[in-house]
Amino acid sequence: MVQIKNKWGWVVTVCTFIVIIPLTGIPSSFGVIFVKLQEEYEITDLETGWIGSVAFGMFFFASPISTGLFKRYGHRKVAIGGVILCSIGMLASSFVPNPSLLFLTYSAIYGVGSNFIDNTSLNLIGEYFPRKNSARATCFATLGWSVGSLVFNPLIEVLCARVGWRYTFRILCGVVAVVGIPCVLTYSPAPIERPWKKLESAEGQKKSLMENSPEEQEKPTFREYIKTFLEALQAPGMWLWIFGNILANLSLIFPFVNMIKFMTTIGIPEFQGALTLTAMGVTDLLGRTISSLIGDRIPFHVVYLYPLSSLVMALGIFSLLMISSFPGMVIFASGFGFFIGVFNSMLFKACMDLFGSEILAEAWTLTYVASGIGIMVGPSIAGATYDHTQSFTIAFYIGGGLCILGALVFIAIPLVQKRKDWNPKKALSTPTDSTEFSTLTEDSTEEFLEARITTI
């Protein structure tokens, strides 16, 4: 692929950052809603945890649907549909007569809608920045995750205390709509062109490359869409990457869903629990900010950040076995939040570096599906163990162990790719002309076009 220009890409990046703040801040604050639901209803930790974890899971797990839709209908239309779904989900959730219906209104409708926005946005940014500034743009966009957690945890705590969780959901419905629609309207197709197709004349070649819109490209059929995923699965290291993300996310989501509940069991009040999650949001923001500044300049392969982050997070989870005070929880949350920020913000960059831009949409979709599996199952394990033992001890042992196993899987990926002599720039079976074109930078595009025209 050739990047002709990307100035509008920064507008899309900033708007993605803005829309992600409420989009992710709401599910990241489910720990507050968790406690409020248990105060109003007789509902187990397992059931309550499932409501939040399935919503988080659908945020990732619906990626094959959203990827197929934006390839067929464009990024803007799918993102607008996502904003509408999120607003409907929040509004409907505020009227449910029993918490079981939240699986439909909050977990399913809001979860799928949020994926339609997030997955679509990051893929569009990836098209605007396939090489240069890829880490800077994607890391900056995902700063919205940490800002959302930082802002919405205390905000939802205050709103729930004053107007109740139902009116809080109605207020959040309006916030998502008012912020989301103007932002996603900026999602114009990236001016990225496919290499030389049906060339008729030298001048016609240049004009076709410079003016042909992505919207005019042939839309993939369902069979072709499935075929691209099957081909992506053949990329060396892809199954290890999927497995590693499942293992990591089995433990990563615990702080957002079960943490306030855990702190109440060791005598820490709810308002201090919200402050702990706020501290996690601050250091998450710090980790993402540092990643956005130095992510394109790391002197080693980005994938090596993942075994390091996983090991540190495993130590953090094990430390919960000994922590029994508010200051200790703040220290844990601060360290854990920083490495969550690094882990999540560099994920798109790592996926691009491992598997190349030609199969990036498919590789990223598979990454999100893997994350969704881990996110949906992880908090449920924690909730189930607590229901049976009235303690989170077993959950901490399981979570820390899975993080260590994930670190071993991540470190094996570059070794496998090196053994297979995998070159992500060549993707799977890219034609010669496409390969030659994919190595161009923005500055060299015009020079290359002139050279090709001259030689014909």
Side-chain angles (χ1 to χ4, degrees):
M1 294 188 295
V2 178
Q3 182 179 1
I4 303 299
K5 60 180 181 179
N6 61 14
K7 293 181 180 179
W8 191 253
W10 289 111
V11 175
V12 173
T13 300
V14 172
C15 288
T16 298
F17 162 76
I18 294 172
V19 75
I20 282 180
I21 292 174
L23 186 73
T24 60
I26 292 170
S28 295
S29 306
F30 187 76
V32 177
I33 305 298
F34 187 107
V35 176
K36 303 303 179 184
L37 288 174
Q38 290 193 324
E39 290 176 353
E40 183 172 339
Y41 300 102
E42 291 185 2
I43 182 172
T44 66
D45 283 66
L46 176 60
E47 292 172 311
T48 314
W50 260 104
I51 295 171
S53 59
V54 171
F56 256 119
M58 293 307 297
F59 186 98
F60 299 95
F61 204 66
S63 294
I65 301 173
S66 58
T67 300
L69 288 175
F70 74 64
K71 282 193 169 187
R72 186 75 180 176
Y73 301 107
H75 298 80
R76 181 185 292 156
K77 292 179 180 178
V78 176
I80 290 174
V83 174
I84 294 172
L85 283 175
C86 286
S87 298
I88 292 174
M90 293 304 296
L91 183 62
S93 295
S94 70
F95 291 102
V96 295
N98 64 75
S100 297
L101 289 175
L102 288 174
F103 283 106
L104 172 63
T105 58
Y106 180 78
S107 303
I109 297 178
Y110 183 86
V112 171
S114 60
N115 173 267
F116 279 21
I117 302 171
D118 185 77
N119 182 42
T120 298
S121 302
L122 289 178
N123 272 281
L124 182 58
I125 292 173
E127 290 188 7
Y128 272 105
F129 301 96
R131 288 170 298 277
K132 186 179 179 181
N133 294 320
S134 59
R136 183 173 293 110
T138 55
C139 289
F140 176 79
T142 61
L143 282 174
W145 272 85
S146 51
V147 174
S149 178
L150 181 63
V151 171
F152 277 81
N153 267 295
L155 175 62
I156 291 178
E157 175 69 30
V158 171
L159 287 174
C160 285
R162 294 189 177 183
V163 300
W165 69 269
R166 293 184 185 274
Y167 279 103
T168 297
F169 273 25
R170 292 165 197 168
I171 294 171
L172 296 175
C173 164
V175 171
V176 170
V178 170
V179 173
I181 292 296
C183 287
V184 300
L185 286 176
T186 66
Y187 288 7
S188 300
I192 298 174
E193 304 304 330
R194 297 293 178 181
W196 310 78
K197 291 184 177 181
K198 299 181 179 180
L199 307 179
E200 296 179 356
S201 66
E203 291 297 329
Q205 294 167 12
K206 181 177 178 180
K207 183 177 180 180
S208 174
L209 285 168
M210 299 297 292
E211 297 180 358
N212 184 35
S213 170
E215 294 179 333
E216 299 174 359
Q217 295 175 3
E218 184 179 353
K219 307 297 184 182
T221 64
F222 179 74
R223 180 176 295 181
E224 292 170 339
Y225 178 63
I226 297 300
K227 183 180 179 181
T228 58
F229 275 100
L230 294 177
E231 291 176 343
L233 287 169
Q234 299 173 16
M238 179 64 77
W239 282 105
L240 287 173
W241 178 248
I242 292 171
F243 187 46
N245 275 282
I246 292 174
L247 292 172
N249 283 281
L250 283 169
S251 299
L252 287 184
I253 206 62
F254 175 87
F256 300 107
V257 177
N258 302 89
M259 188 56 67
I260 291 182
K261 174 67 176 182
F262 165 68
M263 284 186 280
T264 60
T265 66
I266 59 175
I268 297 176
E270 289 180 26
F271 77 93
Q272 288 187 331
L275 291 176
T276 302
L277 292 183
T278 300
M280 184 178 294
V282 171
T283 54
D284 184 301
L285 175 62
L286 178 62
R288 292 174 188 268
T289 302
I290 292 175
S291 296
S292 68
L293 294 175
I294 67 172
D296 289 307
R297 299 182 179 89
I298 295 177
F300 52 85
H301 202 300
V302 173
V303 74
Y304 290 118
L305 288 174
Y306 288 86
L308 173 62
S309 297
S310 296
L311 288 174
V312 173
M313 288 186 290
L315 292 175
I317 293 172
F318 286 137
S319 73
L320 291 173
L321 295 166
M322 300 175 287
I323 295 175
S324 59
S325 65
F326 174 63
M329 287 303 304
V330 171
I331 294 172
F332 158 78
S334 300
F336 200 80
F338 178 84
F339 283 94
I340 283 182
V342 173
F343 188 100
N344 287 324
S345 63
M346 294 298 292
L347 201 61
F348 194 89
K349 170 68 173 175
C351 190
M352 182 182 296
D353 287 355
L354 284 171
F355 304 109
S357 58
E358 291 297 325
I359 58 170
L360 178 60
E362 292 74 24
W364 182 242
T365 298
L366 292 170
T367 303
Y368 256 23
V369 170
S371 299
I373 293 172
I375 285 170
M376 283 194 289
V377 176
S380 302
I381 294 174
T385 57
Y386 181 81
D387 287 338
H388 284 84
T389 66
Q390 296 301 300
S391 171
F392 286 106
T393 300
I394 295 176
F396 295 152
Y397 279 117
I398 294 174
L402 291 175
C403 276
I404 293 175
L405 181 58
L408 297 176
V409 172
F410 283 129
I411 205 168
I413 296 173
L415 302 178
V416 170
Q417 290 194 335
K418 183 176 180 181
R419 183 179 179 183
K420 296 287 186 178
D421 195 26
W422 167 251
N423 183 358
K425 292 183 179 180
K426 294 182 179 179
L428 295 177
S429 56
T430 312
T432 303
D433 285 343
S434 176
T435 302
E436 180 182 7
F437 240 71
S438 67
T439 60
L440 289 178
T441 63
E442 180 179 0
D443 297 334
S444 64
T445 300
E446 186 68 25
E447 181 180 348
F448 181 85
L449 290 171
E450 296 295 342
R452 285 293 297 263
I453 293 170
T454 302
T455 58
I456 292 178

